[in-house]
Amino acid sequence: MAERSWALEISSEHRLRSENLPYDIDVWYPGIERWGRGRGEEVTFRTVFIPLLRVEAESAVHFFRTLHNIKRERDFGSEDGRVLSNLQQRVDKVVRKEFRQSGAMVRLCGRSPKDGTPRNSKLIREKYQAELEYLRRKRPGKIEGPDLQMAAISRCTETLRVLGGEDVMHLLLSSERVYADLIDWLEYGEPEQIVLRQWCQELSLDYEFRLYCRQGKLIGISQYDTYGTYPYLADQRASLEALLVAFWEEVHDAVGVSSYCMDVGVLPRSADADLRLRETLLPGEVRCVLIELSPFLPCTGPALFRWHDGELHRGGATDLLVVRTAPLPSLGDLIEHNWERRWAAAEEVGPVPPFSGSLPGLLGRRLPSRSPNDMSLFVYGTLRKGYFWHNKFLWTAKYAGEARTVEPYPLVVGECGVPYV
């Protein structure tokens, strides 16, 4: 217990996990689902839970540590392979029985494996290119450059879509977020579950919003994605705000707590309708759906607002709903590093073979070959040899030796508590 108390006093993964536990989906979903069913409405997506066994969590942790060459008590072995193979079969049966037609979105109770690698990354690239071409045709000159790229990225939600057990295991076993949550369970005793939610093709990142409720009062709404500038959201701001406020007023009493954050998606009622082409949105044309709840605490992202001393600051915004209206500096660089290179590398590695019960294909995957663009890189802190981030990101790099910068640079601590040069 002493170790647990210490971990709660600092900004640790365990503290983050503990603050979010009361808002995990297995806590709020049953009540919200019953409330919506009683009203004959689909307020959130149909959800199925698959409890994980402790031995399954242990095998998943062994796999991740072996994959990333992290300091460990033992390597991933044949017994781990058998355990995870059985889990894959168990999950596969549920996916194909409950979500045969639509597929499902996979997550754990607290968060999703959105940092994981889907089994067939080529499909993501193809969807991205198709969305770019579509937007160029439909909104010529109205959205350009990196913001055009972000608008296309916002529609590539298939990264978390699963059609069977192989898809599920591929995402879970390659996700550091899942690894961290399983470690927290094994060390502090809060069990996890695999969560499968009805897949919705119409849900997109650009039409997802975060609502902030404090002591029963809605004090702010922000676009969920803080990177993209979507001009159609600015055009629709007033009608979007009215729709989101009306939805919040309807569902608030069913949440059961007075302070919380709520992620809501705005969906077209017709599958072939494109909300991006409308100047305003009418209630009969769209519907809102509750995606997730989280605590009204700094551990929840502030979106376009900011947290200070535990309070949410709106930065002088006068409208209840805030959307980005000015391009984010260096967005092009962020897309290049976090999107273009990520999926290009994933395509080069190729799809992973089915889980075989020994070492999964992820462990034997082909690494991208060296290219003429390889460079010398100076790193510091936990990117150095022997530390976690080196083992994860630089384990294929060739060590050249110690080095010093010509000019001294200060080490500072950012608002999120992370030190950097």
Side-chain angles (χ1 to χ4, degrees):
M1 287 299 294
E3 290 185 0
R4 179 169 186 156
S5 298
W6 173 82
L8 290 173
E9 292 173 0
I10 64 172
S11 183
S12 64
E13 281 284 349
H14 178 54
R15 176 175 170 178
L16 174 68
R17 185 82 186 90
S18 297
E19 290 175 338
N20 276 277
L21 277 175
Y23 298 84
D24 278 2
I25 188 171
D26 56 336
V27 176
W28 64 259
Y29 173 78
I32 291 291
E33 193 277 332
R34 285 194 301 269
W35 179 83
R37 183 156 31 90
R39 297 168 61 92
E41 299 175 359
E42 185 185 38
V43 179
T44 190
F45 302 116
R46 186 170 68 87
T47 302
V48 175
F49 298 91
I50 305 175
L52 278 171
L53 303 176
R54 186 178 180 87
V55 67
E56 293 168 341
E58 291 171 342
S59 292
V61 166
H62 294 155
F63 173 85
F64 191 89
R65 286 176 171 171
T66 301
L67 175 65
H68 293 293
N69 198 28
I70 301 172
K71 183 178 179 181
R72 53 195 181 271
E73 63 277 6
R74 69 176 179 84
D75 284 336
F76 182 89
S78 59
E79 179 59 21
D80 292 314
R82 185 192 66 79
V83 168
L84 295 185
S85 182
N86 289 339
L87 174 60
Q88 176 176 305
Q89 295 174 31
R90 182 156 63 96
V91 172
D92 187 76
K93 291 179 181 178
V94 177
V95 175
R96 297 184 186 281
K97 177 184 176 182
E98 300 289 343
F99 305 101
R100 177 178 294 274
Q101 299 298 322
S102 65
M105 189 275 273
V106 63
R107 56 171 294 163
L108 296 186
C109 289
R111 51 184 176 174
S112 72
K114 63 183 180 182
D115 60 328
T117 304
R119 193 162 64 93
N120 193 342
S121 302
K122 185 178 180 181
L123 295 177
I124 308 301
R125 287 287 298 178
E126 291 174 348
K127 176 66 179 292
Y128 171 61
Q129 293 297 333
E131 284 293 332
L132 278 178
E133 293 304 316
Y134 173 82
L135 285 170
R136 288 189 180 112
R137 292 196 317 270
K138 293 294 186 179
R139 297 186 66 89
K142 294 185 178 181
I143 180 168
E144 299 176 322
D147 286 321
L148 174 67
Q149 293 175 283
M150 275 305 305
I153 290 170
S154 73
R155 297 299 165 120
C156 298
T157 55
E158 283 84 355
T159 51
L160 295 178
R161 187 187 186 194
V162 295
L163 300 174
E166 291 178 22
D167 297 337
V168 172
M169 298 301 287
H170 203 293
L171 281 167
L172 296 182
L173 292 176
S174 62
S175 168
E176 185 184 350
R177 288 157 62 95
V178 169
Y179 167 72
D181 286 353
L182 295 181
I183 286 288
D184 192 79
W185 168 17
L186 296 175
E187 291 186 357
Y188 299 107
E190 189 63 44
E192 266 293 358
Q193 302 186 73
I194 295 176
V195 182
L196 299 170
R197 311 202 72 193
Q198 183 86 35
W199 176 258
C200 178
Q201 185 66 40
E202 293 74 40
L203 181 65
S204 60
L205 187 61
D206 50 351
Y207 278 94
E208 188 172 339
F209 302 88
R210 177 159 286 173
L211 285 63
Y212 296 84
C213 177
R214 181 181 60 194
Q215 297 300 316
K217 181 181 179 181
L218 186 60
I219 65 170
I221 307 173
S222 170
Q223 70 180 63
Y224 179 85
D225 168 42
T226 61
Y227 295 104
T229 304
Y230 307 115
Y232 42 89
L233 295 186
D235 295 340
Q236 301 164 353
R237 197 206 62 77
S239 57
L240 279 169
E241 180 178 305
L243 289 164
L244 291 165
V245 170
F247 179 77
W248 174 80
E249 290 174 343
E250 182 180 12
V251 78
H252 168 67
D253 289 341
V255 173
V257 293
S258 60
S259 297
Y260 55 87
C261 301
M262 175 189 293
D263 294 343
V264 176
V266 176
L267 312 177
R269 292 190 180 274
S270 173
D272 58 353
D274 188 343
L275 302 184
R276 296 172 293 184
L277 307 181
R278 308 289 180 83
E279 293 185 1
T280 188
L281 301 178
L282 302 175
E285 298 176 331
V286 297
R287 65 186 181 94
C288 294
V289 61
L290 194 161
I291 300 172
E292 190 167 15
L293 294 176
S294 50
F296 188 85
L297 292 171
C299 62
T300 297
L304 294 179
F305 305 129
R306 68 181 182 90
W307 292 104
H308 182 68
D309 292 335
E311 290 296 326
L312 189 73
H313 290 255
R314 292 171 43 82
T318 56
D319 296 320
L320 186 64
L321 169 60
V322 174
V323 299
R324 180 175 290 282
T325 56
L328 182 70
S330 303
L331 178 59
D333 292 336
L334 288 172
I335 293 174
E336 171 69 22
H337 288 278
N338 296 327
W339 180 264
E340 297 284 357
R341 293 187 183 182
R342 174 188 178 187
W343 297 113
E347 279 191 51
E348 190 170 353
V349 171
V352 172
F355 192 87
S356 63
S358 55
L359 288 181
L362 275 168
L363 284 180
R365 64 185 180 180
R366 176 175 60 86
L367 292 171
S369 58
R370 292 177 60 84
S371 73
N373 295 322
D374 286 346
M375 64 183 71
S376 296
L377 184 67
F378 175 82
V379 300
Y380 65 95
T382 52
L383 283 171
R384 293 177 296 163
K385 284 178 63 178
Y387 291 88
F388 174 79
W389 293 114
H390 177 90
N391 291 333
K392 180 177 181 183
F393 292 114
L394 298 175
W395 65 284
T396 61
K398 181 179 179 181
Y399 178 67
E402 294 185 0
R404 290 178 178 270
T405 58
V406 175
E407 300 292 334
Y409 293 91
L411 187 68
V412 299
V413 178
E415 290 185 6
C416 58
V418 177
Y420 62 94
V421 171

